[in-house]
Amino acid sequence: DTYKMEIIAGRQFSTQYGTDDSLAYVLNESAIKKLGWASPDKAVGKPLQYGGTNGRVIGVLKDFHFESLHNEIVPIVFLITKENNWRVSARIRPENNQATIGFLEDLWKELRPQYPFEYTFLDDRYDALYKSEEQLMKVFGVFSALAILIACLGLFGLASFTTEQRTKEIGIRKVLGASVSRIVTLLNKEFGKWVLIANIIAWPMAWWGMNRWLQNFAYRADLSLLTFAISGLMAFSIAVVTVSYLSVRAALSNPVDAIKYE
């Protein structure tokens, strides 16, 4: 109840049954599969020897993650033992944490004075499982932002150079009746081709790298083509915005000055 675990067959431990404190076991789904039992319902009531004690299965828990997603869910046997009673799990309300912890500390010192009072929050322990992923995300975020910034600067410089080289051509096209949108489309089409080629080169490399990283997780999401399509669309949009700014400025310039340009 404290961890909100779901019983899918049988029952949980209860003080109403005198043997639950020594001869009763609750297993998870993975344990049922490992033992080769057909289903959770058929596992309830079966005899089980664990730790040298012969008891019976009274319930089956739905599988839950208690380790990092790098690891598969392992078989678990829950039992009540009088030997290991130095750790307690408690669910507390979020308000007045310090007052609640103070109360628990006083109660602990009263009941278990031979053990020091130490506590951790469950969410902090789960956060610690993914510290490396969080650090990796931050590093990739910083370097991705730098890469995009450098790429935009390079694209802006290349677009400026190309527009400058084609100033006379743009002027002649305007004199012959080309619209601003036509000129912008012409220049964007040229740069769009290179952005497409860059994506075709980058996608297999990105897929390989992400797939290798995901292999470290026992439970992982599948890579979708939509992810690469969205990233390619974003790259194309950045290129269009960068090039269009210079293209529009060149297309709106006086064609007479452009034709005289050398």
Side-chain angles (χ1 to χ4, degrees):
D1 287 344
T2 302
Y3 286 98
K4 302 298 182 181
M5 298 176 184
E6 182 182 351
I7 292 282
I8 57 175
R11 61 177 178 84
Q12 61 177 315
F13 298 108
S14 173
T15 55
Q16 296 179 3
Y17 299 89
T19 56
D20 276 12
D21 64 349
S22 57
L23 303 176
Y25 301 113
V26 174
L27 279 61
N28 67 344
E29 291 177 288
S30 294
I32 299 301
K33 296 174 184 176
K34 190 72 173 180
L35 291 168
W37 292 337
S39 67
D41 290 323
K42 292 185 178 180
V44 176
K46 283 187 175 292
L48 176 68
Q49 185 184 63
Y50 185 80
T53 302
N54 293 310
R56 289 189 176 276
V57 177
I58 63 169
V60 179
L61 280 171
K62 182 179 179 64
D63 273 345
F64 60 93
H65 294 281
F66 64 97
E67 295 180 315
S68 166
L69 292 180
H70 289 282
N71 306 318
E72 293 184 358
I73 298 175
V74 298
I76 308 175
V77 177
F78 290 88
L79 67 154
I80 296 177
T81 173
K82 297 178 181 179
E83 286 75 22
N84 297 322
N85 56 0
W86 49 270
R87 178 178 295 172
V88 175
S89 295
R91 177 181 290 271
I92 65 176
R93 286 191 289 269
E95 61 269 12
N96 299 324
N97 275 350
Q98 292 305 316
T100 304
I101 292 172
F103 167 78
L104 292 174
E105 183 176 6
D106 293 339
L107 187 61
W108 181 267
K109 289 178 179 179
E110 178 184 343
L111 299 175
R112 289 289 183 269
Q114 66 271 32
Y115 294 106
F117 178 77
E118 298 175 348
Y119 69 92
T120 59
F121 287 101
L122 185 63
D123 53 351
D124 292 336
R125 298 181 66 179
Y126 270 105
D127 286 343
L129 297 176
Y130 302 103
K131 281 295 182 185
S132 59
E133 278 73 29
E134 290 180 3
Q135 292 172 354
L136 185 65
M137 181 182 68
K138 291 178 181 178
V139 171
F140 266 95
V142 171
F143 280 100
S144 296
L146 288 175
I148 292 172
L149 177 62
I150 293 171
C152 288
L153 291 174
L155 188 61
F156 188 83
L158 184 60
S160 299
F161 176 76
T162 302
T163 304
E164 195 76 12
Q165 291 291 98
R166 301 177 68 173
T167 299
K168 185 175 289 188
E169 176 191 344
I170 293 172
I172 294 173
R173 287 181 179 274
K174 283 197 68 177
V175 169
L176 294 176
S179 63
V180 173
S181 59
R182 179 77 175 177
I183 294 173
V184 171
T185 302
L186 177 69
L187 294 175
N188 277 325
K189 187 182 297 184
E190 182 176 335
F191 280 94
K193 176 183 66 178
W194 294 111
V195 172
L196 178 61
I197 293 173
N199 275 276
I200 292 174
I201 296 172
W203 285 3
M205 298 174 63
W207 182 88
W208 179 82
M210 289 296 296
N211 197 54
R212 285 290 300 272
W213 178 66
L214 287 172
Q215 293 302 318
N216 296 321
F217 293 86
Y219 303 92
R220 54 186 177 269
D222 295 325
L223 290 175
S224 171
L225 183 62
L226 181 62
T227 303
F228 296 97
I230 292 174
S231 64
L233 182 61
M234 291 175 64
F236 186 78
S237 299
I238 292 172
V240 167
V241 171
T242 305
V243 175
S244 294
Y245 168 73
L246 295 170
S247 302
V248 169
R249 192 175 67 174
L252 292 176
S253 63
N254 191 336
V256 176
D257 296 334
I259 294 172
K260 289 167 58 180
Y261 175 82
E262 293 183 4

